[in-house]
Amino acid sequence: MEDECRPLLSSEQQTAESYSQRGSTDSLDFRAKRPFYVEPRNIVGDVPQERVSAEAAILNSRVHYYSRLTASSDRLLSPPDHVIPHTEEIYIYSPLGTAFKVTGSDHSSKNPSIITIFAIWNTMMGTSILSIPWGIKQAGFTLGIIILILTGLLMLYCCYIVLKSPKAIPYGDTSDWEFPDVCRYYFGKFGQWSSLVFSMVSLMGAMVVYWVLMSNFLYNSGQFIYNYAHNVNMSDSEFGTNGSDRVICPFPNTNHEGNYTVGTLFLTTSGNDTSASTFEHWFTFLGTISVVYLLSLVTIKAFRLGFHLQFHWFDYTEFYLPEFRTLFPHFTGVLTLAFFIHNCIITLMKSNKHQENNVRDLSVAYLLVGLTYLYVGVLIFAAFPSPPLSKDCIEPNFLDNFPTSDVMVFVARGFLLFQMITVYPLLGYLVRVQVMGQIFGNHYPSFFHVLALNILIVGTGVLMAKFYPNIGSIIRFSGATCGLALVFVFPSLVHMISLKRQGLLRWPSALFHSFLILLGMANLLGQFFM
């Protein structure tokens, strides 16, 4: 079976020592000749009716000749390197008796820049768009806009460092490397295991968020259906506006710090797994529909409600918040996760047809994400009816500011619920692959191992939804924690180490990247003290 999996044609020259170690009797095995023996009539092109060219027939005969020489006990008579065809001339042998030509690169599977840009846009958006108005409220309207722009620029720069990090390694083929491979190259086992731990923090936080949000959306959707079927009107008992587009304040007499916040989902896995790819395509499709519908919902609601803004720079009034608030670290924690795509950006960019445009396409994608967040956050915050409600009533999930009887919001919750039900199994799959693969060396060690892991994951979500449904705190801490390592610390250290080894590190660059590390630490500490 080992010989069956041996490469068809190897360009690596075999030495006499390596052949002598295998033993002379191996050369008498007829299977050893098969990689060099392909009949001309079995060589076809991309079109089955295409006949083999004269050059291909000559090449086949030459390799066939050398393969007959290997019938002796001397393996040194194997075809030399100059006889082995180039990559564009190699034919893959099929057990069915057919050989297919290997093309150097499959450009048909590559995506144009516009597809790559919107793939990045959709991956970063997720459900984090629901929490942007709440984040602006926590930071203040003016400071929130400034923080959103600056955080987006910093996250873009760190993502650019991650994207170019494999190419900065001076030797070896790093075309298939991901950022954890780069961390392992620079930091050894510590980089490998720390990347796993911080990745698990992000994934587990996302699974808890999704479980609580699925419960929230399912409850509100069920209440809408029940009230509609029984002609029950709950709007009179809710504290809110009396306009045609009703807005409510679910907790008018409570502190609004925390509660429900949503984050972005980041999917990445190693290898080419078809199940993961299928889920990812469905997630992309459903996520795009949900985001487009939410943008339409925000536009319609803002048009009907109008703008309600008064600028109070440092004073807190009954209906308006100051423009600069000390709770701004809440927003930076959410934005760290909202702009986070660093653990899968290399994979996404590999499918770009024009690799020379990777930096430009990444910048355009971040620009679109930032504009989308600004659009939703500014419109929802500005259109929130103050008076009679206070801006402090804006919920981390702004859909909670609309009553369950709102048909448009009911449809939005349905879209998001269906999307999360589709994606949640993939999150569990990613956790299983990374945890089991690193600990046991097998993605599926046994049924009981997987069962215990699934009980732990689902049980954590159920317990959090029952006893501590403070999704805002979960997302802020998980976002700031994984962001500290995978956004600020590792990219900055990798960049500085690479420049130092090339003799190009200067004190302004060292000072700036050290500042980024301190900024990531301050972002995490701010979640505890603010």
Side-chain angles (χ1 to χ4, degrees), residues 321-358:
L321 302 171
E323 300 300 306
F324 299 89
R325 301 186 70 189
T326 58
L327 296 177
F328 68 89
H330 294 182
F331 195 27
T332 60
V334 172
L335 288 177
T336 303
L337 196 59
F339 282 109
F340 181 72
I341 197 175
H342 301 61
N343 61 342
C344 61
I345 188 59
I346 298 177
T347 302
L348 290 175
M349 282 303 185
K350 284 180 181 178
S351 62
N352 197 7
K353 181 181 295 184
H354 303 287
Q355 292 292 306
E356 67 277 7
N357 296 331
N358 278 351

Side-chain angles (χ1 to χ4, degrees), residues 12-306:
E12 298 179 358
Q13 187 174 7
Q14 304 290 342
T15 63
E17 290 81 7
S18 63
Y19 286 130
S20 62
Q21 290 174 359
R22 296 180 185 178
S24 60
T25 57
D26 287 347
S27 61
L28 300 177
D29 189 355
F30 73 96
R31 290 179 299 179
K33 299 185 295 182
R34 192 181 68 181
F36 308 109
Y37 185 86
V38 181
E39 291 292 344
R41 64 175 180 272
N42 288 335
I43 299 180
V44 298
D46 295 334
V47 181
Q49 293 78 14
E50 181 181 348
R51 290 294 300 165
V52 63
S53 64
E55 292 80 7
I58 294 174
L59 175 64
N60 177 79
S61 299
R62 186 183 305 167
V63 176
H64 186 188
Y65 169 74
Y66 276 98
S67 68
R68 288 183 179 274
L69 293 179
T70 59
S72 66
S73 61
D74 191 357
R75 297 298 295 267
L76 292 178
L77 294 177
S78 297
D81 288 345
H82 70 274
V83 175
I84 301 300
H86 298 290
T87 303
E88 62 271 12
E89 299 174 333
I90 293 180
Y91 295 85
I92 299 179
Y93 181 84
S94 169
L96 299 179
T98 307
F100 296 91
K101 188 172 183 179
V102 178
T103 57
S105 60
D106 186 8
H107 294 284
S108 61
S109 63
K110 299 293 185 178
N111 297 324
S113 293
I114 187 66
I115 300 298
T116 302
I117 290 172
F118 277 97
I120 298 173
W121 172 83
N122 182 75
T123 304
M124 272 197 286
M125 296 299 293
T127 53
S128 59
I129 193 173
L130 298 176
S131 65
I132 300 301
W134 172 83
I136 292 179
K137 179 203 74 173
Q138 296 295 90
F141 184 66
T142 302
L143 183 59
I145 295 176
I146 296 175
I147 288 177
L148 194 152
I149 296 174
L150 293 180
T151 304
L153 291 175
L154 288 177
M155 297 287 287
L156 170 60
Y157 176 72
C158 295
C159 193
Y160 163 73
I161 294 177
V162 172
L163 180 61
K164 73 171 187 177
S165 60
K167 299 179 181 178
I169 297 176
Y171 60 90
D173 182 14
T174 60
S175 58
D176 294 332
W177 283 29
E178 302 293 339
F179 192 62
D181 299 318
V182 176
C183 293
R184 184 172 62 248
Y185 170 80
Y186 284 103
F187 310 111
K189 286 291 185 179
F190 171 78
Q192 177 183 0
W193 284 99
S194 59
S195 298
L196 174 66
V197 170
F198 289 114
S199 178
M200 288 300 100
V201 170
S202 175
L203 287 173
M204 289 298 296
M207 295 196 74
V208 173
V209 170
Y210 269 54
W211 190 274
V212 176
L213 287 177
M214 286 189 296
S215 303
N216 179 288
F217 293 152
L218 185 61
Y219 170 79
N220 285 282
S221 300
Q223 189 175 27
F224 172 87
I225 297 174
Y226 178 85
N227 293 341
Y228 180 81
H230 295 83
N231 295 320
V232 177
N233 187 3
M234 298 292 295
S235 60
D236 293 337
S237 61
E238 295 171 330
F239 178 68
T241 63
N242 295 317
S244 57
D245 280 75
R246 186 174 177 82
V247 179
I248 63 174
C249 187
F251 307 99
N253 298 319
T254 60
N255 187 359
H256 291 271
E257 300 177 12
N259 286 340
Y260 304 97
T261 305
V262 291
T264 306
L265 170 67
F266 311 100
L267 308 177
T268 179
T269 184
S270 58
N272 297 322
D273 191 274
T274 55
S275 61
S277 178
T278 303
F279 272 112
E280 184 175 353
H281 286 308
W282 275 105
F283 170 70
T284 302
F285 173 72
L286 295 172
T288 302
I289 293 179
S290 301
V291 172
V292 171
Y293 183 81
L294 281 175
L295 292 177
S296 302
L297 172 67
V298 168
T299 304
I300 294 174
K301 292 295 183 182
F303 176 78
R304 294 179 177 177
L305 292 172

Side-chain angles (χ1 to χ4, degrees), residues 424-478:
Y424 188 83
L426 176 58
L427 288 174
Y429 167 78
L430 294 176
V431 172
R432 174 172 64 85
V433 167
Q434 295 191 26
V435 172
M436 298 297 183
Q438 290 292 333
I439 297 178
F440 300 102
N442 188 349
H443 296 169
Y444 197 96
S446 71
F447 171 79
F448 295 102
H449 286 83
V450 177
L451 177 62
L453 180 63
N454 290 339
I455 292 176
L456 176 64
I457 294 173
V458 176
T460 302
V462 172
L463 292 176
M464 295 296 290
K466 175 65 176 178
F467 299 105
Y468 190 71
N470 194 328
I471 302 303
S473 297
I474 298 173
I475 289 299
R476 287 193 295 112
F477 283 105
S478 61

